[in-house]
PDB file of all heavy atoms in Angstrom:
ATOM      1  N   PHE G   4     166.618 121.503-143.766  1.00 96.00           N
ATOM      2  CA  PHE G   4     165.375 121.102-144.148  1.00 96.00           C
ATOM      3  C   PHE G   4     164.331 122.279-143.764  1.00 96.00           C
ATOM      4  O   PHE G   4     163.917 122.330-142.678  1.00 96.00           O
ATOM      5  CB  PHE G   4     164.892 119.851-143.310  1.00 96.00           C
ATOM      6  CG  PHE G   4     163.555 119.289-143.747  1.00 96.00           C
ATOM      7  CD1 PHE G   4     163.576 118.305-144.810  1.00 96.00           C
ATOM      8  CD2 PHE G   4     162.390 119.694-143.164  1.00 96.00           C
ATOM      9  CE1 PHE G   4     162.387 117.689-145.190  1.00 96.00           C
ATOM     10  CE2 PHE G   4     161.194 119.044-143.553  1.00 96.00           C
ATOM     11  CZ  PHE G   4     161.132 118.128-144.586  1.00 96.00           C
ATOM     12  N   ALA G   5     164.076 123.053-144.920  1.00 97.00           N
ATOM     13  CA  ALA G   5     163.288 124.223-144.703  1.00 97.00           C
ATOM     14  C   ALA G   5     161.915 123.945-144.366  1.00 97.00           C
ATOM     15  O   ALA G   5     161.327 122.957-145.050  1.00 97.00           O
ATOM     16  CB  ALA G   5     163.346 125.037-145.951  1.00 97.00           C
ATOM     17  N   LEU G   6     161.263 124.474-143.336  1.00 98.00           N
ATOM     18  CA  LEU G   6     159.930 124.292-142.942  1.00 98.00           C
ATOM     19  C   LEU G   6     158.981 124.934-143.752  1.00 98.00           C
ATOM     20  O   LEU G   6     158.335 125.970-143.479  1.00 98.00           O
ATOM     21  CB  LEU G   6     159.723 124.521-141.495  1.00 98.00           C
ATOM     22  CG  LEU G   6     160.803 123.889-140.481  1.00 98.00           C
ATOM     23  CD1 LEU G   6     160.415 124.308-139.059  1.00 98.00           C
ATOM     24  CD2 LEU G   6     160.763 122.423-140.688  1.00 98.00           C
ATOM     25  N   THR G   7     158.730 124.465-145.000  1.00 98.00           N
ATOM     26  CA  THR G   7     157.794 125.017-145.943  1.00 98.00           C
ATOM     27  C   THR G   7     156.664 124.197-146.252  1.00 98.00           C
ATOM     28  O   THR G   7     156.730 122.898-146.088  1.00 98.00           O
ATOM     29  CB  THR G   7     158.438 125.333-147.261  1.00 98.00           C
ATOM     30  OG1 THR G   7     159.009 124.211-147.768  1.00 98.00           O
ATOM     31  CG2 THR G   7     159.573 126.351-147.086  1.00 98.00           C
ATOM     32  N   LEU G   8     155.519 124.768-146.458  1.00 98.00           N
ATOM     33  CA  LEU G   8     154.250 124.083-146.421  1.00 98.00           C
ATOM     34  C   LEU G   8     154.049 123.167-147.552  1.00 98.00           C
ATOM     35  O   LEU G   8     153.224 122.122-147.517  1.00 98.00           O
ATOM     36  CB  LEU G   8     153.048 125.117-146.419  1.00 98.00           C
ATOM     37  CG  LEU G   8     153.040 126.030-145.233  1.00 98.00           C
ATOM     38  CD1 LEU G   8     151.955 127.065-145.349  1.00 98.00           C
ATOM     39  CD2 LEU G   8     152.808 125.159-143.948  1.00 98.00           C
ATOM     40  N   ASP G   9     154.773 123.380-148.679  1.00 98.00           N
ATOM     41  CA  ASP G   9     154.657 122.312-149.808  1.00 98.00           C
ATOM     42  C   ASP G   9     155.055 120.859-149.307  1.00 98.00           C
ATOM     43  O   ASP G   9     154.558 119.860-149.949  1.00 98.00           O
ATOM     44  CB  ASP G   9     155.571 122.797-150.965  1.00 98.00           C
ATOM     45  CG  ASP G   9     156.906 123.103-150.468  1.00 98.00           C
ATOM     46  OD1 ASP G   9     157.116 124.200-149.842  1.00 98.00           O
ATOM     47  OD2 ASP G   9     157.868 122.244-150.736  1.00 98.00           O
ATOM     48  N   LYS G  10     155.815 120.803-148.232  1.00 98.00           N
ATOM     49  CA  LYS G  10     156.291 119.461-147.851  1.00 98.00           C
ATOM     50  C   LYS G  10     155.212 118.725-147.338  1.00 98.00           C
ATOM     51  O   LYS G  10     155.227 117.366-147.436  1.00 98.00           O
ATOM     52  CB  LYS G  10     157.430 119.687-146.908  1.00 98.00           C
ATOM     53  CG  LYS G  10     158.752 120.314-147.375  1.00 98.00           C
ATOM     54  CD  LYS G  10     159.876 120.277-146.467  1.00 98.00           C
ATOM     55  CE  LYS G  10     161.256 120.561-147.061  1.00 98.00           C
ATOM     56  NZ  LYS G  10     161.293 121.974-147.748  1.00 98.00           N
ATOM     57  N   PHE G  11     154.131 119.230-146.833  1.00 98.00           N
ATOM     58  CA  PHE G  11     153.071 118.523-146.313  1.00 98.00           C
ATOM     59  C   PHE G  11     152.259 117.749-147.521  1.00 98.00           C
ATOM     60  O   PHE G  11     151.924 116.590-147.290  1.00 98.00           O
ATOM     61  CB  PHE G  11     152.085 119.410-145.582  1.00 98.00           C
ATOM     62  CG  PHE G  11     152.449 119.878-144.338  1.00 98.00           C
ATOM     63  CD1 PHE G  11     152.346 121.288-143.929  1.00 98.00           C
ATOM     64  CD2 PHE G  11     153.154 119.007-143.381  1.00 98.00           C
ATOM     65  CE1 PHE G  11     152.702 121.699-142.693  1.00 98.00           C
ATOM     66  CE2 PHE G  11     153.649 119.656-142.118  1.00 98.00           C
ATOM     67  CZ  PHE G  11     153.452 120.961-141.867  1.00 98.00           C
ATOM     68  N   LEU G  12     152.084 118.486-148.638  1.00 98.00           N
ATOM     69  CA  LEU G  12     151.461 117.762-149.741  1.00 98.00           C
ATOM     70  C   LEU G  12     152.434 116.765-150.356  1.00 98.00           C
ATOM     71  O   LEU G  12     151.975 115.739-150.954  1.00 98.00           O
ATOM     72  CB  LEU G  12     150.894 118.721-150.740  1.00 98.00           C
ATOM     73  CG  LEU G  12     150.025 118.256-151.817  1.00 98.00           C
ATOM     74  CD1 LEU G  12     148.854 117.371-151.152  1.00 98.00           C
ATOM     75  CD2 LEU G  12     149.450 119.414-152.590  1.00 98.00           C
ATOM     76  N   ASP G  13     153.656 117.098-150.493  1.00 98.00           N
ATOM     77  CA  ASP G  13     154.563 116.133-151.072  1.00 98.00           C
ATOM     78  C   ASP G  13     154.709 114.937-150.253  1.00 98.00           C
ATOM     79  O   ASP G  13     154.613 113.858-150.857  1.00 98.00           O
ATOM     80  CB  ASP G  13     156.004 116.783-150.990  1.00 98.00           C
ATOM     81  CG  ASP G  13     156.263 117.866-152.044  1.00 98.00           C
ATOM     82  OD1 ASP G  13     155.452 118.057-152.920  1.00 98.00           O
ATOM     83  OD2 ASP G  13     157.224 118.631-151.871  1.00 98.00           O
ATOM     84  N   HIS G  14     154.506 115.056-148.949  1.00 98.00           N
ATOM     85  CA  HIS G  14     154.647 113.775-148.078  1.00 98.00           C
ATOM     86  C   HIS G  14     153.315 113.102-148.233  1.00 98.00           C
ATOM     87  O   HIS G  14     153.423 111.764-148.494  1.00 98.00           O
ATOM     88  CB  HIS G  14     154.623 114.313-146.574  1.00 98.00           C
ATOM     89  CG  HIS G  14     154.589 113.110-145.591  1.00 98.00           C
ATOM     90  ND1 HIS G  14     155.710 112.438-145.349  1.00 98.00           N
ATOM     91  CD2 HIS G  14     153.612 112.556-144.877  1.00 98.00           C
ATOM     92  CE1 HIS G  14     155.423 111.506-144.330  1.00 98.00           C
ATOM     93  NE2 HIS G  14     154.093 111.483-144.136  1.00 98.00           N
ATOM     94  N   ALA G  15     152.170 113.655-148.305  1.00 98.00           N
ATOM     95  CA  ALA G  15     150.900 112.966-148.558  1.00 98.00           C
ATOM     96  C   ALA G  15     150.950 112.239-149.839  1.00 98.00           C
ATOM     97  O   ALA G  15     150.487 111.119-150.133  1.00 98.00           O
ATOM     98  CB  ALA G  15     149.763 113.851-148.421  1.00 98.00           C
ATOM     99  N   ALA G  16     151.389 112.906-150.933  1.00 98.00           N
ATOM    100  CA  ALA G  16     151.400 112.350-152.265  1.00 98.00           C
ATOM    101  C   ALA G  16     152.292 111.122-152.327  1.00 98.00           C
ATOM    102  O   ALA G  16     151.900 110.116-153.174  1.00 98.00           O
ATOM    103  CB  ALA G  16     151.825 113.316-153.303  1.00 98.00           C
ATOM    104  N   LYS G  17     153.327 111.092-151.641  1.00 98.00           N
ATOM    105  CA  LYS G  17     154.276 109.905-151.670  1.00 98.00           C
ATOM    106  C   LYS G  17     153.844 108.778-150.765  1.00 98.00           C
ATOM    107  O   LYS G  17     153.825 107.668-151.188  1.00 98.00           O
ATOM    108  CB  LYS G  17     155.719 110.397-151.202  1.00 98.00           C
ATOM    109  CG  LYS G  17     156.815 109.337-151.407  1.00 98.00           C
ATOM    110  CD  LYS G  17     158.077 109.820-151.043  1.00 98.00           C
ATOM    111  CE  LYS G  17     159.170 108.810-151.126  1.00 98.00           C
ATOM    112  NZ  LYS G  17     160.574 109.197-150.842  1.00 98.00           N
ATOM    113  N   TRP G  18     153.346 109.113-149.588  1.00 98.00           N
ATOM    114  CA  TRP G  18     153.052 108.088-148.607  1.00 98.00           C
ATOM    115  C   TRP G  18     151.598 107.758-148.444  1.00 98.00           C
ATOM    116  O   TRP G  18     151.273 106.748-147.778  1.00 98.00           O
ATOM    117  CB  TRP G  18     153.752 108.508-147.274  1.00 98.00           C
ATOM    118  CG  TRP G  18     155.230 108.569-147.423  1.00 98.00           C
ATOM    119  CD1 TRP G  18     156.026 109.691-147.362  1.00 98.00           C
ATOM    120  CD2 TRP G  18     156.225 107.432-147.673  1.00 98.00           C
ATOM    121  NE1 TRP G  18     157.313 109.436-147.564  1.00 98.00           N
ATOM    122  CE2 TRP G  18     157.502 108.046-147.799  1.00 98.00           C
ATOM    123  CE3 TRP G  18     156.067 106.035-147.733  1.00 98.00           C
ATOM    124  CZ2 TRP G  18     158.618 107.261-148.048  1.00 98.00           C
ATOM    125  CZ3 TRP G  18     157.142 105.329-148.045  1.00 98.00           C
ATOM    126  CH2 TRP G  18     158.486 105.929-148.113  1.00 98.00           C
ATOM    127  N   ARG G  19     150.755 108.561-148.814  1.00 98.00           N
ATOM    128  CA  ARG G  19     149.317 108.408-148.741  1.00 98.00           C
ATOM    129  C   ARG G  19     148.626 108.856-149.931  1.00 98.00           C
ATOM    130  O   ARG G  19     147.775 109.824-149.895  1.00 98.00           O
ATOM    131  CB  ARG G  19     148.636 109.236-147.502  1.00 98.00           C
ATOM    132  CG  ARG G  19     149.316 108.879-146.176  1.00 98.00           C
ATOM    133  CD  ARG G  19     148.495 107.652-145.607  1.00 98.00           C
ATOM    134  NE  ARG G  19     148.896 107.460-144.126  1.00 98.00           N
ATOM    135  CZ  ARG G  19     148.037 106.932-143.235  1.00 98.00           C
ATOM    136  NH1 ARG G  19     146.757 106.645-143.561  1.00 98.00           N
ATOM    137  NH2 ARG G  19     148.496 106.860-141.998  1.00 98.00           N
TER     138      ARG G  19
END
Side-chain angles (χ1 to χ4, degrees):
F4 186 87
L6 306 183
T7 56
L8 297 173
D9 50 286
K10 289 183 170 64
F11 290 137
L12 190 52
D13 287 347
H14 179 84
K17 182 175 182 178
W18 298 108
R19 298 274 188 150

